[in-house]
């Protein structure tokens, strides 16, 4: 009985120690967060068939040839047969992203948290709160980095098939 109690206590302490160690892992730096978040295609799931709509989020950083409009992004809902997107301009600082939708002038302040993960075969997770468009959780993979809207659209079209 005493040995059993000692084993239970040891396992409990070991589990608690592992939990505390994981919980104290350093958060990604602002630079790492920005690198994960921006210039990458994010989707909410892999489509199951050609009619299954996936939600897409992309935030592109400005490029010299883009001109003075600054950084912009897109919320999109798309299948192989149908799609709708809404573009926005944004400013960001750490996990805060202030966006303005170009068509309506609507403004939102989002909290965005990008991190490495291993969920459903994906390499990265993105949690967004404060948004009225899109969904709250997106996923991405290595190799889904993009530099232009055309690259993002080509990858999204491939994924929607």
């Amino acid at each position: 009985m005493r040995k059993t109690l000692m084993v239970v206590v040891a396992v409990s302490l070991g589990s608690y120690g592992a939990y505390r160690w994981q919980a104290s892992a350093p958060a990604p730096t602002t630079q790492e967060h920005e690198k994960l978040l921006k210039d990458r295609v994010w989707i909410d799931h892999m489509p199951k068939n050609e009619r299954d709509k996936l939600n897409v989020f992309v935030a592109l950083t400005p490029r010299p040839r883009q001109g003075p409009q600054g950084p912009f992004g897109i919320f999109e809902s798309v299948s192989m047969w149908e799609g709708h997107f809404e573009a926005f301009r944004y400013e960001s600082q750490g996990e805060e992203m202030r966006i303005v939708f170009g068509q309506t002038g609507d403004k939102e302040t989002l909290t965005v948290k990008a991190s490495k993960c291993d969920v459903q075969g994906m390499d990265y997770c993105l949690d967004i709160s404060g948004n009225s468009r899109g969904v709250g959780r997106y996923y991405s993979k290595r190799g889904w980095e993009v530099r232009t809207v055309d690259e993002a659209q080509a990858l999204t079209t491939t994924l929607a098939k």
Side-chain angles (χ1 to χ4, degrees), residues 94-108:
E95 293 181 350
E96 182 179 273
M97 182 178 274
R98 292 170 306 284
I99 66 174
V100 178
F101 291 96
Q103 182 66 28
T104 62
D106 292 350
K107 296 178 181 180
E108 294 181 351

Side-chain angles (χ1 to χ4, degrees), residues 24-113:
S24 66
T29 65
T30 300
Q31 191 174 26
E32 291 168 336
H33 177 266
E34 299 271 325
K35 185 178 178 184
L36 282 180
L37 171 66
K38 297 176 183 173
D39 299 323
R40 171 179 302 283
V41 172
W42 295 91
I43 63 172
D44 66 334
H45 71 282
M46 291 298 289
K48 297 168 187 63
N49 59 53
E50 62 188 26
R51 292 188 183 136
D52 187 15
K53 287 188 178 178
L54 64 141
N55 289 286
V56 179
F57 175 83
V58 179
L60 296 172
T61 54
R63 304 279 182 248
R65 294 190 312 170
Q66 288 175 343
Q69 75 267 16
F72 66 97
I74 298 170
F75 280 103
E76 184 175 23
S77 176
V78 63
S79 75
M80 186 174 137
W81 299 105
E82 180 180 55
H84 175 266
F85 75 93
E86 211 167 345
F88 58 86
R89 290 192 178 122
Y90 72 89
E91 293 177 355
S92 65
Q93 175 102 25
E95 293 181 350
E96 182 179 273
M97 182 178 274
R98 292 170 306 284
I99 66 174
V100 178
F101 291 96
Q103 182 66 28
T104 62
D106 292 350
K107 296 178 181 180
E108 294 181 351
T109 300
L110 312 179
T111 300
V112 293
K113 296 180 182 179

